[in-house]
Amino acid sequence: MAGSPRRGAGGRLLLPLLCLLFQGATAILFAVFVRYNHETDAALWHMGNHSNADNEFYFRYPSFQDVHTMVFVGFGFLMAFLQRYGFSSVGFTFLLAAFALQWSTLIQGFLHSFDGSYIYVGVESMINADFCAGAVLISFGAVLGKTGPAQLLLMALLEVALFGMNEFVLLSLLGVKDAGGSMTIHTFGAYFGLVLSRVLYKSQLRKSKHRQGSIYHSDLFAMIGTIFLWIFWPSFNSAPTMLGDGQHRTVLNTYYSLTASTLSTFALSALVGGDGRLDMVHIQNAALAGGVVVGTSSEMMLTPFGALAAGFLAGTVSTLGYKFFTPILESKFRVQDTCGVHNLHAMPGVLGALLGVLVAALATHDAYGDGLQSVFPLIATGQRSATAQAVYQLIGLFVTLMFAFVGGSFGGLLLRLPFLDAPPDSQCYEDQIYWEVPGEHEDEAQGPLREEEPDTQA
């Protein structure tokens, strides 16, 4: 079969119908429930006789810009390493994030800022929505190339709701501290995606193995995503923290942790690589593990040395995971983890949660002074001891894993519905299924897809 594969009328209509349905539904909900908050509404802001320079926009928007860039540029290009899936990696990132931002504004609004029958939005709600989109994109990385856009939209619909509930339980009910999202973003997003991948296991995926690798320029594009993420990760972890010393400390801890994870990644990659050569997969991903591992503890008094140690450990664990554990995941556990999210987000996320347990247990008035109120308000007011806070941090990790495993299992069953236009096992990791690809009808420029082969169900 020359050129792109044919799709049935149902498959061609499914994506536009879902996009229009979801956009129409969110638009109606926005009209009914969403309003500007007091720092955004013209009448409310000027009633308070405030100086414009005091508006939260000027303090939060620079961090929002950085987080927004990470979501749309960093994540998108990081996943562009597949040789014939670049359009889908970047394009579906764009689609999922745009939908997740709207849907999470509603879900998080109903759970966190529903007041007087309305959801009030401002720059902080934009940052929180970006965080939720980040979790969805982490899950996308686990099933990259093996799912269609309609499946991905339904995944986002479910995952955003579960993300909001998990976040509400941890932050509002349990009083867990997780500013940079080691638990709520990375651990949840990674294990949700990994369980999803397990349920969607493709027994004949070897038919697409020839497309699963990278080529020189696709790895270079992915490295661009890495650099964007690496540069802006201090803003990601610090964006929701209290202004002042807490935000400043979060940036410093993340900054040093990233540098240490980068050096450990280069060292381990050369040690485990053939002839001492570096593996670009390690550099693209494991170098970022330092940002993940301090997500929970970066606003705490981790100390610069603690940040370096945590980053070095995370880079080491992540690199070894890519080298040794990823093949075991597929061969023994039947988890096909396209982007290695288990190594970049899951393991460093769990390590970050445990690091948060340790640092919380060591919190004292002597170490924090009056700043204890902003980092651990329940300890400062005597409602909890440091040990109790550490126990709640640990409970938060288990709650997150529960939401991820249950949600991923249900999501996988939902995405297995036969009418959702999933790519067959023999045509995974291929842009031509869903995109107009330049030169796709010219055999010299791009080889045609093979005839669709019958796939064996798991």
Side-chain angles (χ1 to χ4, degrees):
M1 175 176 60
S4 58
R6 288 189 173 276
R7 298 164 62 201
R12 293 197 299 270
L13 291 174
L14 190 56
L15 177 62
L17 287 176
L18 280 179
C19 286
L20 293 174
L21 174 64
F22 288 172
Q23 184 58 78
T26 53
I28 292 170
L29 291 170
F30 264 63
V32 174
F33 293 109
V34 179
R35 300 291 185 271
Y36 296 128
N37 69 7
H38 70 282
E39 301 215 16
T40 312
D41 186 276
L44 294 176
W45 175 253
H46 289 284
M47 281 175 57
N49 195 29
H50 302 290
S51 166
N52 286 336
D54 294 331
N55 194 293
E56 189 178 34
F57 173 86
Y58 297 101
F59 300 99
R60 297 289 186 188
Y61 190 72
S63 295
F64 164 75
Q65 284 181 304
D66 293 349
V67 174
H68 215 47
T69 301
M70 289 178 69
V71 168
F72 285 92
V73 179
F75 279 106
F77 278 92
L78 181 64
M79 292 187 280
F81 66 94
L82 293 170
Q83 55 184 302
R84 293 178 65 158
Y85 207 67
F87 282 17
S88 299
S89 298
V90 178
F92 292 159
T93 293
F94 197 10
L95 171 66
L96 286 178
F99 170 61
L101 294 182
Q102 297 182 57
W103 183 225
S104 60
T105 297
L106 291 166
I107 295 295
Q108 291 175 319
F110 284 127
L111 292 171
H112 295 287
S113 58
F114 195 63
D115 182 24
S117 301
Y118 294 117
I119 296 168
Y120 293 95
V121 296
V123 68
E124 193 167 352
S125 61
M126 292 162 61
I127 293 172
N128 291 330
D130 269 338
F131 281 171
C132 182
V136 171
L137 295 178
I138 291 168
S139 301
F140 175 38
V143 297
L144 184 71
K146 301 170 295 182
T147 44
Q151 289 178 298
L152 293 171
L153 280 174
L154 287 177
M155 178 194 79
L157 182 73
L158 173 64
E159 186 172 2
V160 166
L162 291 172
F163 175 93
M165 287 187 280
N166 180 60
E167 185 184 53
F168 177 75
V169 171
L170 264 64
L171 305 186
S172 299
L173 300 184
L174 297 179
V176 167
K177 304 298 291 186
D178 190 36
S182 289
M183 290 182 280
T184 55
I185 300 172
H186 301 286
T187 301
F188 173 79
Y191 282 110
F192 183 97
L194 290 168
V195 174
L196 195 72
S197 180
R198 174 62 185 87
V199 178
L200 297 176
Y201 178 77
K202 290 181 174 289
S203 60
Q204 302 297 316
L205 192 61
R206 63 180 181 276
K207 296 175 182 178
S208 296
K209 277 290 184 184
H210 59 290
R211 301 188 198 95
Q212 195 172 358
S214 62
I215 53 180
Y216 191 85
H217 73 263
S218 67
D219 265 335
L220 192 59
F221 275 120
M223 195 63 197
I224 292 172
T226 298
I227 296 300
F228 268 94
L229 290 169
W230 199 96
I231 290 172
F232 293 127
W233 213 297
S235 293
F236 187 91
N237 284 350
S238 66
T241 57
M242 295 288 290
L243 301 177
D245 66 287
Q247 198 166 59
H248 196 167
R249 185 169 55 253
T250 304
V251 168
L252 281 173
N253 286 333
T254 308
Y255 173 86
Y256 290 124
S257 183
L258 284 165
T259 59
S261 65
T262 301
L263 265 67
S264 66
T265 298
F266 273 86
L268 266 293
S269 183
L271 283 174
V272 302
D275 300 323
R277 292 187 293 178
L278 299 167
D279 188 331
M280 185 56 88
V281 173
H282 302 161
I283 308 306
Q284 289 164 356
N285 294 279
L288 299 170
V292 178
V293 77
V294 296
T296 296
S297 59
S298 54
E299 71 170 327
M300 304 175 191
M301 292 291 285
L302 179 60
T303 75
F305 169 77
L308 286 175
F312 192 90
L313 175 62
T316 300
V317 169
S318 183
T319 305
L320 294 176
Y322 276 101
K323 180 65 177 179
F324 300 110
F325 197 51
T326 294
I328 295 174
L329 269 181
E330 182 166 357
S331 63
K332 302 297 184 183
F333 298 98
R334 294 161 63 93
V335 175
Q336 297 158 327
D337 182 8
T338 307
C339 291
V341 300
H342 186 262
N343 310 306
L344 173 55
H345 299 281
M347 290 193 295
V350 171
L351 285 175
L354 296 176
L355 180 61
V357 171
L358 175 62
V359 181
L362 298 175
T364 64
H365 284 85
D366 290 339
Y368 288 82
D370 292 338
L372 189 63
Q373 176 65 41
S374 61
V375 181
F376 294 113
L378 296 177
I379 298 178
T381 56
Q383 298 178 60
R384 278 185 192 169
S385 66
T387 303
Q389 181 66 42
V391 171
Y392 276 95
Q393 295 286 140
L394 187 60
I395 293 172
L397 173 61
F398 289 115
V399 170
T400 296
L401 292 172
M402 181 198 71
F403 270 101
F405 276 80
V406 174
S409 299
F410 178 75
L413 295 175
L414 176 66
L415 268 57
R416 287 175 68 96
L417 293 174
F419 60 85
L420 290 179
D421 198 27
D425 293 6
S426 59
Q427 294 176 6
C428 292
Y429 315 116
E430 175 58 64
D431 275 335
Q432 284 189 27
I433 302 176
Y434 303 109
W435 297 86
E436 291 283 350
V437 178
E440 65 181 342
H441 301 297
E442 302 173 16
D443 291 343
E444 300 81 11
Q446 186 167 181
L449 287 174
R450 296 178 297 174
E451 284 286 352
E452 181 177 328
E453 304 174 37
D455 296 325
T456 304
Q457 295 298 318

